[in-house]
Structure formats: C-alpha cells, structure tokens
C-alpha cells in the first residue's frame, strides 16, 4: 500500500511506522512491540499485550467470532451477494475452529479473505477500489487505520506461526471491539 499524507493526519507517525515495521520484522519481540503500538488505535494496548503474552486466545477468538457473525448477519446485501455472505459465515466458523487449535500460519490466507469479504459485504464494490483506503480513513478513522493495517499485510506469507498469530490477533482484536 502506498504511503500518503492522510494516514499521517489520522494516525500518529509511530503507529504508521509500526504498521510498516510489523510486516518486515522477524524478531518476535519487535513484532509484539509493534503490534502493541498499533493496538492503541483499536482499544487498550495493555489488554492486547496481556493477550499476546498470555498465550490464551480463546476469549479473543470467541469475541471476534461473535462480533463478526453479528456484523455479517446484520449487513444487508443484494440478492446476488447472499452466497458471499453464507461463504463468509462458513469460513469464519472454520477459521475460528483452526485458530482455537493455534493453527494461525495455516489460516493466515483465510483470515485475510474473511476480512476482505466482510468489508465487501459492508461497502460493496467500492471496497475493491484503490481509493477505498482513503475513504475509510475519512468516514471512520479507527476503521480506516484497521483497513490500512490489513492492506499492509501480504496476501500470502511464509511467516512463522508466532508472527502469523500476532498479525491475526491484532486484526481480530480490532474486530472483537468494533
């Protein structure tokens, strides 16, 4: 994702830098540190740090699943997108089951697809346009930062399981509290 000035107007520079650094870093302690920095835009960084350090992800997974399921179910969609809605609910169920088993590396791509599909259901084809990131930042800065973060992640990865866990938990943390 290209850098533009709007993200720097919305988010603190150290948050934007952490979003950029989190993808490049290989040292898990640096990844965790950057993730906690980004989490300050999504809720309590102390709570997110506890989740990372505690290693018990079940409560976050349950909140994420519950909130995202409600969001998906309450989103009105065109008749032509009903199948997408059902597929997202199915993928969410599968993803959460695998996440409970700590299979984040295996589920990295599915997580990205779920997020992309949910945003599509919420915003329609506009979400696939290059200028959507700017639009998201303008209409809801917190959501815009989240979307900026999601768009900064590669579609597929060969990241370690630990890194995948952190990257996914950070996205889940936002959506569990959205």
């Amino acid at each position: 994702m290209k850098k533009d000035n709007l993200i720097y107007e919305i988010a603190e520079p150290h948050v934007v830098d952490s979003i950029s650094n989190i993808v490049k870093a290989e040292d898990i302690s640096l990844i965790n540190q950057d993730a906690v920095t980004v989490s300050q835009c999504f809720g309590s960084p102390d709570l997110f740090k506890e989740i990372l350090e505690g290693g018990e992800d079940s409560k976050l997974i349950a909140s994420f699943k519950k909130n995202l399921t409600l969001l998906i179910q309450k989103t009105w969609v065109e008749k032509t997108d009903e199948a997408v809605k059902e597929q997202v609910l199915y993928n969410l169920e599968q993803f959460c089951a695998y996440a409970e088993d700590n299979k984040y590396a295996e589920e990295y791509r599915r997580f990205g697809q779920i997020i992309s599909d949910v945003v599509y259901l919420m915003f329609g084809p506009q979400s696939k346009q290059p200028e959507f990131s700017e639009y998201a930042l303008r209409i809801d800065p917190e959501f815009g930062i989240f979307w900026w973060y999601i768009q900064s992640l590669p579609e597929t990865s060969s990241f370690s399981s630990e890194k995948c866990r952190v990257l996914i938990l950070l996205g889940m943390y936002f959506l569990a509290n959205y």
Side-chain angles (χ1 to χ4, degrees):
M1 167 165 276
K2 73 177 182 76
K3 283 190 177 181
D4 66 27
N5 292 334
L6 184 58
I7 188 69
Y8 287 98
E9 292 174 26
I10 305 291
E12 296 291 324
H14 69 281
V15 172
V16 178
D17 291 343
S18 288
I19 290 172
S20 199
N21 294 341
I22 201 169
V23 175
K24 298 175 203 162
E26 293 185 28
D27 179 336
I28 197 66
S29 64
L30 293 176
I31 294 165
N32 286 348
Q33 189 175 25
D34 285 326
V36 169
T37 298
V38 175
S39 75
Q40 73 185 350
C41 296
F42 304 156
S44 166
D46 293 334
L47 180 58
F48 186 70
K49 186 175 182 179
E50 285 177 27
I51 292 167
L52 286 180
E53 292 173 353
E56 178 53 46
D57 305 342
S58 294
K59 187 174 179 183
L60 179 60
I61 293 168
S63 292
F64 166 76
K65 182 180 177 184
K66 178 181 150 207
N67 284 1
L68 205 55
T69 299
L70 285 172
L71 180 65
I72 294 164
Q73 289 174 340
K74 293 191 180 283
T75 300
W76 181 87
V77 297
E78 297 286 342
K79 197 85 163 150
T80 55
D81 288 330
E82 285 293 329
V84 174
K85 192 174 187 176
E86 291 304 314
Q87 186 64 45
V88 173
L89 288 168
Y90 173 80
N91 282 335
L92 177 61
E93 188 72 33
Q94 296 298 305
F95 167 79
C96 289
Y98 282 103
E100 283 288 349
D101 289 337
N102 202 24
K103 295 184 177 178
Y104 293 105
E106 295 92 330
E107 290 299 298
Y108 177 89
R109 184 178 174 96
R110 187 190 321 237
F111 177 75
Q113 188 61 55
I114 289 168
I115 302 307
S116 179
D117 287 347
V118 168
V119 171
Y120 171 79
L121 291 173
M122 292 170 59
F123 294 97
Q126 173 182 351
S127 67
K128 305 292 185 195
Q129 300 301 315
E131 60 275 354
F132 180 72
S133 293
E134 182 178 325
Y135 173 77
L137 282 165
R138 291 186 189 282
I139 63 161
D140 182 345
E142 187 177 287
F143 175 79
I145 293 168
F146 164 75
W147 186 245
W148 187 273
Y149 165 70
I150 292 297
Q151 292 297 292
S152 73
L153 300 175
E155 195 173 306
T156 60
S157 85
S158 57
F159 299 143
S160 71
S161 184
E162 278 184 305
K163 183 172 182 172
C164 287
R165 175 181 176 262
V166 174
L167 296 176
I168 290 171
L169 288 180
L170 184 55
M172 290 172 62
Y173 184 67
F174 172 79
L175 290 166
N177 297 302
Y178 189 61

